[in-house]
Amino acid sequence: MKILVTGCQGQVGSALAALLPQALPAYEIIAVDRTQLDLSDFGRIRELMQALKPALVINAAAYTAVDQAETEVAQAMRINGDAPGVLAEQAKQIGAALIHFSTDYVYDGSKQGAWVETDATVPLSVYGRSKLAGEQAIAASGVPHLILRTSWVYGLTGKNFLLTMLRLAQTRDTLGIVADQIGAPTWSHTLAEATLAVIRRAGAPHQMAGLSGIYHCCAAGHTSWFGFAQAIFAHPAITRRPVLNAITTADYPTPAVRPKNSVMDIRKFEAAFGPLPSWDSALDACLRDVGTV
Ligand SMILES: NC(=O)c1ccc[n+]([C@@H]2O[C@H](COP(=O)([O-])OP(=O)(O)OC[C@H]3O[C@@H](n4cnc5c(N)ncnc54)[C@H](OP(=O)(O)O)[C@@H]3O)[C@@H](O)[C@H]2O)c1
């Protein structure tokens, strides 16, 4: 049986491509990057799905340039909103299941306390709207699917807050970090492990129908971007330690509006598939791999 992983050069896609082949030896893992499967080319999606006929598709590809999406609306909507629907329609046709990643940015951040999966979605940005449209297209297709809403993804490759902090610390003695947005920093490897837990729990892709739906899937606990930065620079592997100043969202304006509260309740995922690590223990594990910086 085949598992098709899209976006295999991305943070989550590369973590999946590294973990799944050795963890699931009974499956053939076919990990494709943008050059092999460009999600904006719907004809190519159909062609590849019909040629490979995977039992499971894991869609880790997405348009993730949150600020750029404010001006590249059509492209963000095509890749995040429409393409997942084409993948889902194809998966349904060939009897496959679909695991898809979505985002905390479907919420408006106004809630006091953690968001639950049934809360109203009110995205504040084009990116959030495009991801929500993708979720809706998948659900409407009727394919067996899991939508894993995650947040604040980081790892040792790609573009993310952790690597930005380490890069800035090479040249700056002081950093201003936003302290009034809270969420759960989530290691890309945690998401690969969580996806593996889903596949193992389902037993086989065609048995995923009973598990279909939306799940919050991010690290346990929460912090602010400022707290995340403090934890990064407190780690023994990191030797350059700039002075960190807490600033507000208003001090650091961006084209896309971010939710103030991105904290998601993960009890539904944990009840179905097992525990997720705390954000700080995952950060510690991630940085243990980094060597001394
Ligand atoms: N990053 C976060 O903080 C975050 C937070 C919440 C949810 N998520 C969701 O988590 C999932 C994985 O995100 P990530 O952090 O791994 O993102 P990422 O590192 O930006 O990876 C996304 C991958 O998608 C690829 N891609 C972009 N446009 C494509 C297209 N038209 N066709 C095929 N591939 C395309 C990119 O290719 P190139 O390398 O060629 O650009 C990249 O390899 C996404 O669904 C994202 O929306 C991410």
Side-chain angles (χ1 to χ4, degrees):
M1 262 192 297
K2 293 175 188 160
I3 297 178
L4 175 65
V5 179
T6 68
C8 74
Q9 300 287 336
Q11 298 190 81
V12 177
S14 61
L16 286 163
L19 179 69
L20 297 187
Q22 41 108 356
L24 296 173
Y27 289 87
E28 183 186 351
I29 312 297
I30 302 163
V32 293
D33 65 14
R34 190 205 292 250
T35 63
Q36 295 156 299
L37 177 63
D38 184 337
L39 286 190
S40 64
D41 183 346
F42 300 164
R44 176 68 185 143
I45 297 177
R46 296 189 178 102
E47 181 188 86
L48 194 70
M49 289 287 284
Q50 294 297 331
L52 294 176
K53 295 210 168 26
L56 173 66
V57 181
I58 307 176
N59 183 29
Y63 181 108
T64 55
V66 174
D67 288 317
Q68 215 170 306
E70 295 297 309
T71 45
E72 291 188 346
V73 180
Q75 206 185 334
M77 286 304 295
R78 188 168 176 86
I79 297 163
N80 292 345
D82 300 335
V86 180
L87 272 175
E89 152 227 298
Q90 287 298 304
K92 172 122 202 283
Q93 205 187 87
I94 62 175
L98 175 64
I99 298 177
H100 175 78
F101 294 95
S102 190
T103 173
D104 52 317
Y105 285 14
V106 298
Y107 298 117
D108 70 6
S110 64
K111 189 174 178 177
Q112 301 293 315
W115 296 94
V116 293
E117 288 84 350
T118 47
D119 279 332
T121 48
V122 184
L124 302 173
S125 60
V126 170
Y127 170 75
R129 283 202 293 283
S130 71
K131 294 294 292 183
L132 181 60
E135 290 188 3
Q136 290 166 342
I138 291 168
S141 75
V143 73
H145 67 272
L146 278 93
I147 292 167
L148 306 178
R149 284 186 187 148
T150 192
S151 61
W152 296 20
V153 179
Y154 69 90
L156 297 180
T157 59
K159 276 192 198 154
N160 60 65
F161 183 83
L162 166 64
L163 293 181
T164 301
M165 288 298 106
L166 298 183
R167 178 172 45 80
L168 292 177
Q170 297 301 314
T171 53
R172 295 205 208 157
D173 298 326
T174 306
L175 297 175
I177 311 292
V178 171
D180 60 354
Q181 291 172 26
I182 56 170
T186 302
W187 185 20
S188 51
H189 179 71
T190 298
L191 292 169
E193 291 279 7
T195 307
L196 178 62
V198 168
I199 297 167
R200 289 198 165 133
R201 164 74 180 77
H206 68 270
Q207 288 163 346
M208 272 184 196
L211 298 165
S212 274
I214 296 170
Y215 296 81
H216 291 164
C217 180
C218 55
H222 66 267
T223 186
S224 64
W225 291 113
F226 181 70
F228 187 20
Q230 282 182 312
I232 291 166
F233 291 113
H235 196 277
I238 309 301
T239 52
R240 282 191 71 88
R241 298 206 165 86
V243 173
L244 301 177
N245 293 324
I247 63 169
T248 66
T249 302
D251 295 326
Y252 187 72
T254 52
V257 180
R258 271 86 172 155
K260 287 243 160 152
N261 173 18
S262 275
V263 181
M264 296 189 287
D265 187 318
I266 54 175
R267 282 177 294 180
K268 181 182 174 189
F269 182 95
E270 292 195 320
F273 306 114
L276 290 159
S278 67
W279 72 267
D280 46 351
S281 67
L283 176 66
D284 181 56
C286 172
L287 287 177
R288 267 188 264 129
D289 287 350
V290 85
T292 301
V293 180

